[in-house]
Structures are given as structure tokens and as C-alpha cells.
Amino acid sequence: QVQLVESGGGLVQAGGSLRLSCRAPRNIFSVFAPSDMAWYRQPPGKERELVAQITGSRVENYAESVKGRFTISRDNSQKKVYLQMNSLKPEDTAVYYCNQVRANGETYWGQGTQVTVSS
């Protein structure tokens, strides 16, 4: 059963912007709202890494490499989380994954969406 569905990836030139979306269609509000949501990415040939996190209390954390360029946000009423990516660089090329850690500790991953930044 698919818990998280990502969208918004694609091909963009360096300096451009993309907005990723992740929805949790099987969540109810009381499950989604307190969840910690995050975006991870896995560049070609590398390990998966944390990009940005937004907790249930809306505390945001970012990888140093994306600070000032990426913004994570959430809409609990829509059960969605977003990643606004600006000033994209070729090194941002990766498969981006949505991650959810529920209040009970259960962890879920989306299927991933490809982001390719051309130089």
C-alpha cells in the first residue's frame, strides 16, 4: 500500500527552480499532522542523504549544501509536504524521496522522483 506519493521532479537548467510535492493519501489528519516529514536524495552512485526536514511542530532543518536555496513546507489540511528548490546546481541532480516518521515511530518512504539539473 502506497503511503507517500511524490511529484514535481524533472529536468531543469542550472539556476532554475522546481517544486516537489509529497502527498499522503492514506493518512488521516491526526496521523499526518504530528509526523516528522523530510526530503532525502540519492545522487547517482552515492548514498541517500537528508536534504530537509520539517517536524510536527514545524521546526525546519536543512543540509548545509541547500541552506538558503531550498525551503520545506507542509500543509496538514491537505496532508502534503513541499520542497521548493531554487538556484539549482548540477550537483543537486538526484532521486528525491519523501520520508515520514509518524508519532508512533513508523517510517515510510515514497517511490522517489528524479531531479536532473543540466549545466
Side-chain angles (χ1 to χ4, degrees), residues 77-94:
S77 66
Q78 298 293 321
K79 295 174 289 181
K80 290 183 176 180
V81 63
Y82 304 97
L83 185 68
Q84 178 67 42
M85 305 186 294
N86 298 328
S87 303
L88 282 161
K89 304 175 181 180
E91 51 263 44
D92 295 317
T93 295

Side-chain angles (χ1 to χ4, degrees), residues 52-116:
Q53 179 197 48
I54 184 166
T55 68
S57 54
R58 298 183 181 268
V59 175
E60 300 172 23
N61 299 291
Y62 296 92
E64 285 295 326
S65 60
V66 307
K67 281 184 178 178
R69 299 188 299 122
F70 291 10
T71 302
I72 191 170
S73 61
R74 64 191 297 163
D75 183 338
N76 289 341
S77 66
Q78 298 293 321
K79 295 174 289 181
K80 290 183 176 180
V81 63
Y82 304 97
L83 185 68
Q84 178 67 42
M85 305 186 294
N86 298 328
S87 303
L88 282 161
K89 304 175 181 180
E91 51 263 44
D92 295 317
T93 295
V95 178
Y96 283 71
Y97 296 91
C98 182
N99 168 266
Q100 179 187 40
V101 180
R102 295 183 179 179
N104 65 2
E106 292 177 350
T107 298
Y108 296 92
W109 293 91
Q111 80 286 357
T113 185
Q114 177 70 46
V115 171
T116 302

Side-chain angles (χ1 to χ4, degrees), residues 6-47:
E6 300 104 333
S7 61
L11 173 65
V12 64
Q13 288 188 332
S17 298
L18 281 175
R19 189 192 195 206
L20 304 183
S21 298
C22 171
R23 60 186 179 94
R26 303 186 67 84
N27 277 208
I28 58 176
F29 178 85
S30 60
V31 170
F32 185 84
S35 294
D36 293 341
M37 302 298 299
W39 288 94
Y40 285 74
R41 67 186 180 187
Q42 187 164 15
K46 297 184 179 181
E47 294 187 353

